[in-house]
Amino acid sequence: MDLIVARNREDLVKARGGGEVALVPTMGALHEGHRSLMRLARSRADQVVVSVFVNPLQFGPNEDFSRYPRTFDSDLDVCRAEGVDVVFHPSVDDMYLPDRQVSLLAGRMGEIVEGESRPGHFDGVLTVVLKLFNLVQPSVAVFGQKDAQQLALIRRMVADLDVPVEIVGAPTVREHDGLALSSRNRYLSEDDRQVALALSRALRAGEAERRPGAIREAAREVLAAAGPRLDLDYVVLVDPATFSEVGEEHAGEAVLAVAARIGATRLIDNVILNLNPA
């Protein structure tokens, strides 16, 4: 079956088949990490729908909405290669009414860690994800673990609002040198890329420790050693469900998350740790 491109709601209704549907929401500029999401989606459903939509609601006034990479033709090639059934590629006007008034609020979890650095970002994420769920009507949706706070908030939204969609998280895919795959990596010069490797090195340094304080400190030391070209935003060790900071006596899973700006490019990364009881 040929790949169907649905450019509006009417096209999407016509393209939607029977059986279980898995949705992979993306903003395009697809890479191997997105391919891994598509493969996981294919294993879970009869039909795979990939959305390609650069969502203006999740960009702040000084962020990179206008220059965010838009590579739709090559994105279609990726989707064809992965056996995707439908690509949903709506316009902003088709997704949002001109007099739109109602949006979701991400609550307290949307205001901390990444949300503190990007006010309103998660409100925009949850609003577009819920709209995509309503339009595509999937039984399963697949998201990457690299955006760990986003994943946690989507799971919270589904639980709080009784949305009948199973949320599946997929492991972060990395380059051979450890850099987490991101559509924004293409902004990096070769020199910037070498500096950016400090993020994954910091996570590995944190993994080698056992206590929360030592984990944070080990990660910070690596990032500090990267020099002034790396502008650190945060290093946190948080509960994976709430993204609140964990204490020294925490046992079980925790997310070590980092964010930094290298040149004009802001990158995030994280790793899940399993902390032993005290």
Side-chain angles (χ1 to χ4, degrees):
M1 180 176 169
D2 291 337
L3 175 67
I4 298 172
V5 179
R7 296 182 181 272
N8 53 50
R9 299 162 184 246
E10 293 75 19
D11 289 348
L12 182 62
V13 170
K14 294 175 185 176
R16 195 184 186 285
E20 299 286 304
V21 176
L23 171 65
V24 180
T26 83
M27 293 204 299
L30 303 180
H31 50 65
E32 188 62 33
H34 295 110
R35 286 178 181 263
S36 73
L37 305 184
M38 296 173 201
R39 293 167 194 154
L40 182 53
R42 171 57 64 200
S43 74
R44 299 295 302 270
D46 303 303
Q47 185 181 52
V48 175
V49 177
V50 172
S51 62
V52 176
F53 178 66
V54 183
N55 175 35
L57 296 193
Q58 66 193 71
F59 289 82
N62 298 314
E63 294 184 338
D64 59 346
F65 174 72
S66 62
R67 74 182 187 107
Y68 191 87
R70 291 161 170 84
T71 57
F72 188 61
D73 288 342
S74 61
D75 292 344
L76 288 180
D77 292 338
V78 170
C79 291
R80 287 191 186 95
E82 294 301 330
V84 169
D85 299 291
V86 180
V87 170
F88 181 41
H89 183 49
S91 67
V92 172
D93 290 341
D94 200 63
M95 283 296 289
Y96 297 116
L97 296 173
D99 59 347
R100 177 187 61 83
Q101 299 183 42
V102 177
S103 296
L104 291 187
L105 289 178
R108 173 58 182 158
M109 188 169 30
E111 298 172 350
I112 58 177
V113 190
E114 188 71 3
E116 184 175 356
S117 298
R118 303 182 68 187
H121 168 70
F122 288 118
D123 298 345
V125 169
L126 295 187
T127 298
V128 77
V129 168
L130 184 59
K131 286 177 70 69
L132 288 169
F133 286 175
N134 288 334
L135 290 167
V136 177
Q137 299 182 11
S139 54
V140 177
V142 183
F143 297 86
Q145 176 62 39
K146 188 180 78 69
D147 296 296
Q149 191 171 1
Q150 171 182 281
L151 179 58
L153 275 160
I154 290 168
R155 285 179 166 144
R156 185 79 246 186
M157 176 190 75
V158 164
D160 285 349
L161 301 183
D162 298 309
V163 181
V165 178
E166 178 187 0
I167 306 302
V168 176
T172 300
V173 177
R174 299 182 180 277
E175 299 277 9
H176 63 88
D177 53 12
L179 185 67
L181 289 180
S182 169
S183 299
R184 290 183 169 94
N185 288 353
R186 66 188 65 202
Y187 297 157
L188 298 171
S189 68
E190 279 302 314
D191 288 343
D192 287 343
R193 183 188 172 84
Q194 293 305 307
V195 176
L197 292 176
L199 273 68
S200 57
R201 288 201 304 270
L203 297 179
R204 290 198 298 272
E207 282 184 293
E209 302 293 338
R210 297 266 53 89
R211 305 295 302 170
I215 291 168
R216 295 183 183 98
E217 185 58 30
R220 288 194 185 101
E221 287 179 1
V222 171
L223 293 164
R229 290 179 59 192
L230 187 147
D231 182 11
L232 179 62
D233 189 344
Y234 59 75
V235 178
V236 295
L237 187 66
V238 296
D239 183 289
T242 66
F243 262 67
S244 57
E245 289 271 6
V246 303
E248 283 298 304
E249 302 307 313
H250 179 81
E253 286 192 346
V255 176
L256 177 61
V258 299
R261 189 174 296 278
I262 298 95
T265 304
R266 187 174 182 276
L267 299 177
I268 62 174
D269 202 352
N270 70 84
V271 66
I272 299 175
L273 306 179
N274 198 337
L275 305 185
N276 295 323

